[in-house]
Amino acid sequence: MIIVTGATGQLGRLVIDGLLEKVPADQVVAAVRSPEKAADLAARGVQVREADYDRPETLRPAFEGGTRLLLISGSEVGRRVPQHAAAIQAAQGAGIPHVVYTSAPHADTSVLGLAAEHKATEEIIRETGLTYTLLRNNWYSEMYVPAIVHAAETGAVIGGAGDGRIGSATRADYAAAAVAVLTGTGHDNRIYELAGDVAWTLGDLAGEISRASGKEIVYRNVSGEEHRAALVAGGVPDAFADVLVDVDRGIAAGALADTPGDLKALIGRPTTPIADTVAAALAG
């Protein structure tokens, strides 16, 4: 029995789709905070169980009978360590032997502020003695969709990453890797640094938007303060603006530049180029 947390999220739904191509639906559990949002998954034969990271009493029953758990990291920055710890404790109590966790690139050494919670979660998993697989996902290409659309309207990509490179891939790429690990063998106690085949700069992104839109798009590298002000002015919440500014600072330092090829090897195909994300963003 394969259990997927956060199964109604953007990554989780893609993982469920991939699993249903490889295993019977009754062997897949969608563990979700709001079961009513997973009615479509239930209609496809997937078992839907309530699992709320903030209500630990829901977790162990949701995990009962599982042989592998995909723990998709929570979205609430600053609260993830206790949330993940509750899920890991519940998995151990339910007798799940193998936990697969979506982490961050080089979580144990990264300069990114976001990596700290992932590093702590990885340590908690190891301390349990459970078999684990750590999927250290690079940045999601889809995170740039708002910037792509905005740049096509204004003529500029704005950021603070300098010439730093970003080894992003799409959610579909990362979901395919998770499916490969959940349904395959040889992944016990492995760490995979997952990234796109080609790392690109924000200047490269501006060039791709230019080609796709037929407009001249430039990259404006700005200070952290200017970048944050631009994000907030564009409607990004203050706390998340701080996260994005920190990510760009990390990109400038090389935190997302690594492209070791683990993702391509796991999914058995090239990763999705950023040009495809640009084209999709501008088409729709």
Side-chain angles (χ1 to χ4, degrees):
M1 188 90 68
I2 299 172
I3 300 173
V4 179
T5 68
T8 53
Q10 291 173 304
L11 179 63
R13 282 190 175 276
L14 291 171
V15 172
I16 295 288
D17 287 343
L19 288 173
L20 293 180
E21 294 178 0
K22 295 196 171 188
V23 299
D26 62 2
Q27 293 301 303
V28 178
V29 173
V32 298
R33 179 177 294 179
S34 303
E36 66 274 10
K37 294 181 180 179
D40 61 315
L41 299 179
R44 297 169 69 186
V46 174
Q47 297 185 51
V48 175
R49 300 177 183 173
E50 182 182 10
D52 187 338
Y53 291 155
D54 290 323
R55 296 173 57 225
E57 68 274 12
T58 67
L59 298 174
R60 182 166 174 172
F63 296 165
E64 289 292 343
T67 54
R68 291 187 180 181
L69 170 70
L70 175 62
L71 177 58
I72 294 180
S73 56
S75 60
E76 297 172 274
V77 177
R79 299 180 60 191
R80 293 190 286 190
V81 175
Q83 289 176 333
H84 296 166
I88 294 160
Q89 183 180 19
Q92 190 175 25
I96 293 179
H98 190 159
V99 174
V100 180
Y101 174 64
T102 60
S103 189
H106 302 286
D108 48 347
T109 59
S110 177
V111 299
L112 292 176
L114 281 175
E117 291 180 301
H118 293 292
K119 177 182 178 181
T121 300
E122 290 185 1
E123 290 171 352
I124 292 168
I125 292 172
R126 288 193 183 96
E127 287 168 1
T128 65
L130 295 172
T131 299
Y132 63 83
T133 308
L134 304 179
L135 303 179
R136 290 178 169 174
N137 294 349
N138 200 297
W139 210 227
Y140 297 112
S141 296
E142 290 90 345
M143 294 297 294
Y144 288 96
V145 168
I148 292 165
V149 174
H150 187 258
E153 295 170 349
T154 64
V157 172
I158 299 173
D163 293 325
R165 293 191 169 274
I166 305 158
S168 76
T170 63
R171 288 190 180 93
D173 293 333
Y174 294 122
V179 170
V181 168
L182 291 166
T183 60
T185 59
H187 307 297
D188 292 4
N189 299 330
R190 295 285 301 273
I191 299 173
Y192 293 108
E193 296 288 348
L194 302 182
D197 297 339
V198 178
W200 45 272
T201 67
L202 291 182
D204 295 332
L205 179 63
E208 290 293 348
I209 301 169
S210 294
R211 280 186 282 277
S213 67
K215 303 175 184 177
E216 183 178 358
I217 309 296
V218 299
Y219 169 48
R220 287 180 49 213
N221 189 61
V222 298
S223 69
E225 292 76 12
E226 289 177 280
H227 186 201
R228 187 183 188 284
L231 290 167
V232 172
V236 177
D238 286 355
F240 193 54
D242 290 336
V243 169
L244 294 179
V245 169
D246 180 72
V247 168
D248 266 20
R249 189 181 300 118
I251 290 169
L256 297 183
D258 193 21
T259 56
D262 287 1
L263 181 52
K264 180 179 181 178
L266 275 177
I267 65 180
R269 60 166 173 78
T271 62
T272 308
I274 191 62
D276 288 12
T277 299
V278 170
L282 296 181

